[in-house]
Amino acid sequence: MSVNQQAIDEILKQARSDGRTALSEIDSKQLLEAVGISTASAHRAATADEATHAAARLGFPVVLKVLSPDAAHKSEVGGVLLNLRSADEVREGFATIQRNLAARMPKARFEGVAVQAMARPGIEVIAGIIRDHQFGPLVIVGLGGIFVEVMQDTAMRLAPIDARAAREMIGELRGAAILSGARGGAAGDINALIGLLVCLSELAASHPAVKEMDLNPIALYSDGLRVLDARAMLAESAPAASAAPERRQARLANLKRAFEAKSVAVIGDKRAGGYLWLRSQARYSGGKLYSVQIDPNEIPGIEAMGVPNFKSLAEIPEPIDFAITAVPRPVAPRILKDCIAAGVRGVTFFTSGFSETGEELGIKLEAELKALAENSDIALIGPNCMGLYNPAIGLCNFPEERVGEAGDVCFISQSGTHTINFCLQAPRRAIRVNKAASIGNAIILDASDYIDLMSADPATRALGMYIEGARNGRRFFESLSRAAARHPVIVWKGGATEAGARATFSHTASLATPASVWRAAMHQSGAVEVANLDAMLDAVAMFSRGRPVRGRRVGLVAMTGGQSVVITDAFAAAGMEVPALSAPSYEELKGFFNIIGGSYRNPLDAGGTIGMGHNQGNLDRILDILDHDPVIDSIALEIGTGLRAARWATHEEEIVTLLDKVAAFARRTAKPFVVILHPAHVETIVVRASDLARERGLVVFETFERAAAALSLSASYYERVARPT
């Protein structure tokens, strides 16, 4: 890409000198030409005579467009005239445009017209630059005319982008087929459009003074393109340089130490709260647990739990790695001062009532906490949160959480409830938690810090998070992108609706991000999104316990005809494919498959052939056929329902034998393999069967829809990241 930096600087400098934040069409096009984007050249004409002379030089027919720093939308003030074929028409057109502007915007300044040759018709496309207050510069592309005005057919990415991302953007357009010559039309030069988007994105990323740019329309031809109209808006002042987080690395080191704490102090725990935090740390094995409490009425109850109590942090005979604070909000700043003075590495504030309330006092107290923490290296977690969870050392944020084993899944949440629910339900899904963090208002350490720390942990296989907003969207995106390049990242966004976005402020004082920008950031980062806790747990189980899904073609085995229909619907609706099997597979199947009440098409209605899963020989044969079939990428097996499942209550050895056989297949196949166990009307029995299945390393789902969604999500991640096995 050839860039004329001198020309860009001169255009921007002149606009600043003139006090203009809106560039004329001529200046905007010169800016585009300076970065290598082809435009339909426009010539400035301050008088009718200048306009006619310019038109004669260009050759008729021509277009006239008003030049006025006060008229951003030229057509709305009658400022555009097309297909003028003579000098007389140009002269009259000049006067008409001047009259129209005076009539519709009496106070608008008239600086003449832009004259350009009438362009040959092409496919109408739009492109542009916008700046989001959180995520920074973005580039947009869409089909022009009715497609953008009515269908809102656009795609966007955070700038800068490469050619691959530009091609993906174009492919996302609902009308993308039009660009390729649908219904006999001429195909557009896609490579030229890709080049324009890459150049435009570089301009957006490298020149923050350009606040907004609108290229509309662009004529896309079979052999290139031309920008027919353009306008640019400049920032009113030069963007302030973002201050480098001088203490960030020290805080991250302290956060890591807090997660692996060798000493923990609980500050302000009380009987009225059931000594929640001391009970949560009852199985802490990383080192010594202390209490800090000055109320003489509380101390006997604390000491009865076997925890030594001190009146202050300074009295504790060793440095504290992690402090858990549950004190009234007016006391919080003083406690933080004490923690900093005592050299505490990390501190979490369960205390709430800060900026999330919208109250003046809460906002003031949070500002005090932030100012204190910013002038130190302490890792401040929260406030308004449940803090950290590391089951390997028994560091908990809720008493019922499982401890004693190291895990491989991390979870970050701005909601304490979602953190606890995830951590409590994870063991039921055979998900082993490595680390989890409830981060609340995240006034010092934000989601990006936790992402960076957790994704760098070599034990991490998958990272999930519940997020309502990011204080620094660009840094969040960059952290997310780095993490997703290492392992799957699953994001559950709170506040996705307008009503939900309002609720996020009252919850964690987060800034809601427009949905389209958020979707672009998630897709571009390589993260995948889910809509609720169950979907999060399903996805994490698939990513951490299952094999990567590197293709969308699935072989389905159901127990009955009705189930074989709905399982197909579920997988197809989730974006998976249910292809016909290869000819050798059908040859083998027809040798033993019972087609009375069954079918060996894909899906396989196999209940009669495999005795609802208990004819071990035939089940093995079916699974092996699917395993060897080259048109199948993954396999989903429904395990017996109804009356057969009801026998498991008194004949558990039947399900154990079946699951042992299925688990043996899961170990020998290289393909992703999942099991579906419907609770149906024998829920208690199937819950037991699911537990037995997970104990054997099987990935289990309760419904066809949830299994399909999890496999599809895995496929989406590996399609985007495209890493080798």
Side-chain angles (χ1 to χ4, degrees), residues 200-284:
L200 196 61
S201 79
E202 291 289 348
L203 174 64
S206 59
H207 291 83
V210 181
K211 178 182 177 182
E212 179 182 330
M213 202 160 194
D214 184 16
L215 285 56
N216 182 19
I218 302 164
L220 183 65
Y221 305 119
S222 60
D223 57 349
L225 56 76
R226 288 286 184 278
V227 177
L228 304 185
D229 200 354
R231 70 181 184 93
M233 298 292 294
L234 305 183
E236 292 185 3
S237 59
S242 56
E246 299 174 359
R247 300 181 181 270
R248 185 166 185 253
Q249 290 306 314
R251 289 193 186 112
L252 282 176
N254 282 335
L255 178 62
K256 186 174 187 293
R257 183 62 177 264
F259 264 117
E260 299 164 356
K262 299 187 183 305
S263 55
V264 174
V266 175
I267 305 172
D269 211 3
K270 293 185 176 182
R271 181 185 295 105
Y275 294 121
L276 170 66
W277 296 103
L278 289 169
R279 287 191 299 112
S280 294
Q281 311 315 315
R283 295 164 294 165
Y284 168 63

Side-chain angles (χ1 to χ4, degrees), residues 1-6 8 34-36 207:
M1 181 178 70
S2 176
V3 176
N4 186 339
Q5 187 59 50
Q6 182 178 355
I8 296 172
V35 297
H207 291 83

Side-chain angles (χ1 to χ4, degrees), residues 41 66 99 139 172 225 244 272 293 337 364 374 407 466-467 477 497 504 528 559 648 680 698 703 722:
S41 298
V66 67
R99 286 195 304 270
V139 61
E172 285 176 17
L225 56 76
Q293 176 58 263
K337 283 182 185 178
K364 176 178 177 292
E374 282 179 336
Y466 169 81
I467 191 83
F477 166 74
T497 64
T504 62
V528 292
M559 294 298 106
W648 300 341
L698 293 167
T703 68

Side-chain angles (χ1 to χ4, degrees), residues 556 563-574 576 578 602-604 704:
L556 303 175
Q563 295 289 74
S564 70
V565 172
V566 296
I567 191 174
T568 305
D569 289 343
F571 276 80
M576 302 297 283
V578 187
N602 188 21
L604 283 74
F704 296 148

